[in-house]
Amino acid sequence: MLRTSLLAAARSPLARKLVERSPLTKPVVNRFVAGAETADAVEATRALRDSGRAVTIDYLGEDTTEVSDATHTVKAYVELLSALSEQGLAAGADVSVKLSAVGQALPGDGHKIALDNARLIADAAAGVGATLTLDMEDHTTTDSTLDILSGLRADFPWVGAVLQAYLHRTEGDARDLAVAGSRVRLCKGAYREPESVAYQDKAEVDRNYMRVMRILMEGDGYPMIASHDPRIIAIAGDLGAGRDFEYQMLYGIRPQEQETIARRGDTMRVYVPYGVQWYGYFMRRLAERPANLAFFLRAMATRG
């Protein structure tokens, strides 16, 4: 019930206004978001790289309703990739792109606009030795996102996909994507989805995560295991013994465990969000883990 309420709040203009205007929010948000500007993302990348961790960077923004907004997002990613290159940080970096932020939901030609814009970002990434991963959003966009992925991979076969374990369809999608050269991030999923398309019980989601992870580990692609769950991390280590894969975690969550994984020689990639449109991302992080919400409420109380 709490998770449902938080996800509903993520779409509420009133809740957004209250949270964004609170002077107590910013210090807490800073735990999960690198900052508002390109320079903030670059500095966060430098710090993570210095600690042995890799990055995937997300310029926050979604639900784009104007072509100009989509164009702005593309420019932000190009600027980011250029800045990373200038600082010697681009090689091996990844950028995560929500297709909704580059025009997917625009009326008429939204699908084509998103594909063209994602291609521009992929081209910029290729030019500096970085990669691109297409974030997955709510289930209504899954088919469109996978279609755009296919179009991009014709020219950029290293473009990464994301699968969400709470969707019923994901096991089948994993079998399709577990092919040579295919980078696939597996996460649990962070959107409010109906029972008709998604598992509602945490135990069911966890079981499906394990099934899909096994498919990816036994396939010929490159699995990217996005989880903060110690049990899943341990099982991934067993299933992935002797093969190439990586762990992924969110910026600001379990940083000590991130460093432990990196120190033992495994690839640990951190999902680094930045930008002024942090509200939706922040609320989904609170909904995902009770510990995140407890941290937020405790911080608000001590600053009141």
Side-chain angles (χ1 to χ4, degrees):
M1 181 65 70
L2 178 59
R3 181 175 186 273
T4 299
S5 298
L6 287 167
L7 291 176
R11 294 287 189 178
S12 167
L14 177 59
R16 176 172 184 161
K17 184 181 298 184
L18 290 172
V19 173
E20 288 184 338
R21 290 184 177 180
S22 170
L24 306 178
T25 300
K26 192 172 187 292
V28 185
V29 173
N30 286 345
R31 172 178 171 171
F32 302 105
V33 179
E37 306 298 333
T38 297
D40 298 321
V42 171
E43 287 310 305
T45 297
R46 187 189 308 281
L48 290 165
R49 290 280 289 269
D50 286 348
S51 70
R53 289 170 281 179
V55 299
T56 181
I57 308 171
D58 174 18
Y59 177 70
L60 294 172
E62 50 196 279
D63 299 328
T64 294
T65 58
E66 301 289 342
V67 172
S68 59
D69 293 333
T71 301
H72 172 79
T73 296
V74 173
K75 289 181 178 178
Y77 275 107
V78 172
E79 176 185 307
L80 169 67
L81 289 161
S82 177
L84 291 173
S85 180
E86 289 173 2
Q87 297 296 316
L89 298 169
D94 183 71
V95 292
S96 287
V97 175
K98 286 181 173 59
L99 291 175
S100 64
V102 294
Q104 187 180 37
L106 293 175
D109 294 331
H111 182 93
K112 182 180 184 302
I113 290 170
L115 172 58
D116 291 344
N117 282 336
R119 184 173 282 119
L120 291 172
I121 298 171
D123 189 56
V128 298
T131 54
L132 160 68
T133 298
L134 298 183
D135 274 341
M136 194 64 76
E137 301 179 70
D138 71 80
H139 79 279
T140 64
T141 67
T142 302
D143 285 331
S144 172
T145 298
L146 291 176
D147 187 64
I148 289 173
L149 172 75
S150 179
L152 287 173
R153 283 186 170 180
D155 298 312
F156 308 99
W158 39 261
V159 171
V162 175
L163 294 177
Q164 300 174 111
Y166 65 2
L167 294 181
H168 299 157
R169 62 175 289 169
T170 296
E171 190 172 349
D173 289 334
R175 295 185 189 283
D176 293 338
L177 289 169
V179 297
S182 177
R183 298 169 55 249
V184 182
R185 176 194 300 154
L186 176 62
C187 64
K188 289 187 178 181
Y191 291 82
R192 185 182 182 183
E193 301 284 16
E195 188 174 356
S196 58
V197 302
Y199 298 107
Q200 305 297 304
D201 182 71
K202 180 182 181 299
E204 290 182 317
V205 176
D206 286 349
R207 284 193 290 270
N208 201 44
Y209 193 107
M210 297 297 184
R211 287 192 293 269
V212 175
M213 180 166 63
R214 184 177 294 276
I215 291 169
L216 296 177
M217 289 294 195
E218 292 176 352
D220 295 323
Y222 180 75
M224 301 182 288
I225 306 304
S227 177
H228 307 98
D229 186 328
R231 178 168 170 264
I232 287 177
I233 291 168
I235 293 173
D238 291 338
L239 290 176
R243 65 153 299 150
D244 198 18
F245 76 101
E246 69 183 46
Y247 299 95
Q248 295 192 357
M249 291 189 188
L250 297 171
Y251 183 77
I253 298 181
R254 302 196 71 200
Q256 292 181 333
E257 177 65 14
Q258 293 176 15
E259 293 190 26
T260 297
I261 290 172
R263 281 197 300 269
R264 75 190 186 203
D266 293 324
T267 300
M268 176 72 250
R269 191 176 302 276
V270 181
Y271 189 101
V272 181
Y274 79 104
V276 297
Q277 296 190 49
W278 50 263
Y279 175 75
Y281 173 87
F282 177 65
M283 295 302 290
R284 288 194 295 273
R285 298 296 75 79
L286 296 184
E288 279 180 336
R289 299 179 71 234
N292 293 345
L293 179 61
F295 172 84
F296 175 65
L297 294 176
R298 190 163 57 247
M300 294 286 278
T302 57
R303 286 178 169 84

